[in-house]
Structures are given as structure tokens and as C-alpha cells.
Amino acid sequence: LYNDNLTNDVNYQRITDAKGMNELVNDLYQSGKRVVFTMGKGGVGKTTIATEIALGLKKRGADVLLTTTDPANHINYQLAVKAGISVSRIDEKKELEKYKENVLQKSKEAGLTDFSYIEEDLRSPCTQEIAVFNAFAEIVEKADKQVVVIDTAPSGHALLLLDTTQSYDLQISNTEGDVPAS
């Protein structure tokens, strides 16, 4: 089974030589990988693949956390929990509110009385990115004890999440904020 559209001078592989899910999960398990991302455009099966990987790793004896950053949130939580897999979700709106409350609380504890500058700063679009990045870092930190399988949002959103380290660093530098251990 060859792709007839390819010319003879192009390196290509027989379709039957492609690895299956079982081999992929075996490779992940045997290599000791602690964080696994499924990424790509919307509708290509990222959630299904993430769930299959999590189930396969659990079946091989790994302690697994399956999480999603996808606002669509199509993980089958019931199936995962029934299989003994920990599950979580990063909800952008909840994380933003949690982050804002945390920043304001720390400002109060520091004795600030004028919050206008802080409230204005918290309305910045990068504040949501920082809040989500904090939650993301907390999830990845769990890879010390569990294999973390992350079902990401469609590509643009996932790349934005991974790129937030720069926004995060800038925000922390500007506000002299606390940097969580995660």
C-alpha cells in the first residue's frame, strides 16, 4: 500500500509500517515520559487520543492524570474515573477570577489601600493568560507523582498557552508578584 502520488525520489513509509495506539502507549510507558500533550487543529481527535493514552498508561500500571485546557471540554470524565484515572479541567474564566482574587488579597495583606492601579492591571488581556498559565503550571507540577496527559485546545489556543511564559515573566517583573513554586 503505497501512495501513488509520491515520486520515486521521495522517502516515504509503507502505511502498514505505521505504529498503532498500543505501540505508542508502550513507548510512552517504557520511556518514563511524565507529561504527554495531544495537540492539533480542532476536530482531529485530540481528546479521543488523550483518553486512549491515559487509559493505556493506567492499564500498564501508571498513576495518570487526564486534564484538558480545551474550552469545548469533551473528556469522558465518567469513563476516566471508572478506570481509576484522575481528571481535571482548566476553566479559563474560573482561573481568571481565582487569580484576580489572589492578587487583590495579597495586596490587602501588604497594606495597600488604593487598588486602582492593580485593578487596571488586572483588566489587561495578558492577565487571563497568566491565570491560565498558573493553573497549567500547577497541573504539570503533578508530573512528579503522576503521568499527566494533557488534552489541549485547538492549535492556536494551545500555542498561546505555551507561549504565555514570556507574558508571565513580564507581568511578574512589572508587579513584583509572587512566583508560585510550580
Side-chain angles (χ1 to χ4, degrees), residues 1 59 79 84 86 103 121 141 181:
L1 298 172
K59 200 179 285 183
L79 172 68
S86 302
V103 169
D121 198 43
E141 185 177 42

PDB file of all heavy atoms in Angstrom, residues 1 59 79 84 86 103 121 141 181:
ATOM      1  N   LEU A   1       0.841  -1.185   0.000  1.00  0.00           N
ATOM      2  CA  LEU A   1       0.000   0.000   0.000  1.00  0.00           C
ATOM      3  C   LEU A   1       0.879   1.239   0.000  1.00  0.00           C
ATOM      4  O   LEU A   1       1.324   1.689   1.043  1.00  0.00           O
ATOM      5  CB  LEU A   1      -0.898   0.007   1.235  1.00  0.00           C
ATOM      6  CG  LEU A   1      -1.886  -1.145   1.364  1.00  0.00           C
ATOM      7  CD1 LEU A   1      -2.560  -1.096   2.718  1.00  0.00           C
ATOM      8  CD2 LEU A   1      -2.912  -1.087   0.263  1.00  0.00           C
ATOM      9  N   LYS A  59      -3.711   1.147  32.375  1.00  0.00           N
ATOM     10  CA  LYS A  59      -3.751  -0.312  32.232  1.00  0.00           C
ATOM     11  C   LYS A  59      -2.370  -0.932  32.464  1.00  0.00           C
ATOM     12  O   LYS A  59      -2.253  -2.051  32.946  1.00  0.00           O
ATOM     13  CB  LYS A  59      -4.250  -0.661  30.830  1.00  0.00           C
ATOM     14  CG  LYS A  59      -4.797  -2.065  30.692  1.00  0.00           C
ATOM     15  CD  LYS A  59      -5.302  -2.326  29.278  1.00  0.00           C
ATOM     16  CE  LYS A  59      -6.614  -1.621  29.059  1.00  0.00           C
ATOM     17  NZ  LYS A  59      -7.208  -1.885  27.739  1.00  0.00           N
ATOM     18  N   LEU A  79     -15.929   7.733  32.210  1.00  0.00           N
ATOM     19  CA  LEU A  79     -15.081   6.633  31.753  1.00  0.00           C
ATOM     20  C   LEU A  79     -13.717   6.683  32.435  1.00  0.00           C
ATOM     21  O   LEU A  79     -13.218   5.671  32.928  1.00  0.00           O
ATOM     22  CB  LEU A  79     -14.907   6.694  30.229  1.00  0.00           C
ATOM     23  CG  LEU A  79     -13.903   5.717  29.621  1.00  0.00           C
ATOM     24  CD1 LEU A  79     -14.414   4.285  29.752  1.00  0.00           C
ATOM     25  CD2 LEU A  79     -13.646   6.064  28.166  1.00  0.00           C
ATOM     26  N   GLY A  84     -10.084   4.597  37.054  1.00  0.00           N
ATOM     27  CA  GLY A  84      -9.122   4.935  38.110  1.00  0.00           C
ATOM     28  C   GLY A  84      -8.168   6.052  37.729  1.00  0.00           C
ATOM     29  O   GLY A  84      -7.101   6.202  38.326  1.00  0.00           O
ATOM     30  N   SER A  86      -7.280  10.043  37.457  1.00  0.00           N
ATOM     31  CA  SER A  86      -7.628  11.362  37.988  1.00  0.00           C
ATOM     32  C   SER A  86      -7.935  12.269  36.800  1.00  0.00           C
ATOM     33  O   SER A  86      -7.284  12.167  35.752  1.00  0.00           O
ATOM     34  CB  SER A  86      -6.469  11.954  38.777  1.00  0.00           C
ATOM     35  OG  SER A  86      -6.091  11.113  39.829  1.00  0.00           O
ATOM     36  N   VAL A 103      -4.509  38.076  43.791  1.00  0.00           N
ATOM     37  CA  VAL A 103      -3.698  39.290  43.687  1.00  0.00           C
ATOM     38  C   VAL A 103      -4.252  40.376  44.607  1.00  0.00           C
ATOM     39  O   VAL A 103      -3.496  41.029  45.338  1.00  0.00           O
ATOM     40  CB  VAL A 103      -3.624  39.788  42.225  1.00  0.00           C
ATOM     41  CG1 VAL A 103      -3.021  41.184  42.145  1.00  0.00           C
ATOM     42  CG2 VAL A 103      -2.824  38.815  41.374  1.00  0.00           C
ATOM     43  N   ASP A 121      -4.501  46.981  36.057  1.00  0.00           N
ATOM     44  CA  ASP A 121      -3.562  45.984  35.567  1.00  0.00           C
ATOM     45  C   ASP A 121      -4.246  44.628  35.390  1.00  0.00           C
ATOM     46  O   ASP A 121      -3.972  43.902  34.433  1.00  0.00           O
ATOM     47  CB  ASP A 121      -2.383  45.872  36.536  1.00  0.00           C
ATOM     48  CG  ASP A 121      -1.190  45.194  35.898  1.00  0.00           C
ATOM     49  OD1 ASP A 121      -0.870  45.512  34.735  1.00  0.00           O
ATOM     50  OD2 ASP A 121      -0.574  44.339  36.568  1.00  0.00           O
ATOM     51  N   GLU A 141       3.144  20.355  37.374  1.00  0.00           N
ATOM     52  CA  GLU A 141       3.904  20.037  38.584  1.00  0.00           C
ATOM     53  C   GLU A 141       3.518  18.657  39.135  1.00  0.00           C
ATOM     54  O   GLU A 141       4.325  17.985  39.759  1.00  0.00           O
ATOM     55  CB  GLU A 141       3.662  21.107  39.641  1.00  0.00           C
ATOM     56  CG  GLU A 141       4.496  20.942  40.885  1.00  0.00           C
ATOM     57  CD  GLU A 141       4.280  22.066  41.877  1.00  0.00           C
ATOM     58  OE1 GLU A 141       3.119  22.471  42.082  1.00  0.00           O
ATOM     59  OE2 GLU A 141       5.276  22.529  42.442  1.00  0.00           O
ATOM     60  N   ALA A 181       5.794  28.116  43.244  1.00  0.00           N
ATOM     61  CA  ALA A 181       6.822  27.083  43.048  1.00  0.00           C
ATOM     62  C   ALA A 181       6.580  26.306  41.760  1.00  0.00           C
ATOM     63  O   ALA A 181       7.516  25.955  41.056  1.00  0.00           O
ATOM     64  CB  ALA A 181       6.857  26.134  44.237  1.00  0.00           C
TER      65      ALA A 181
END
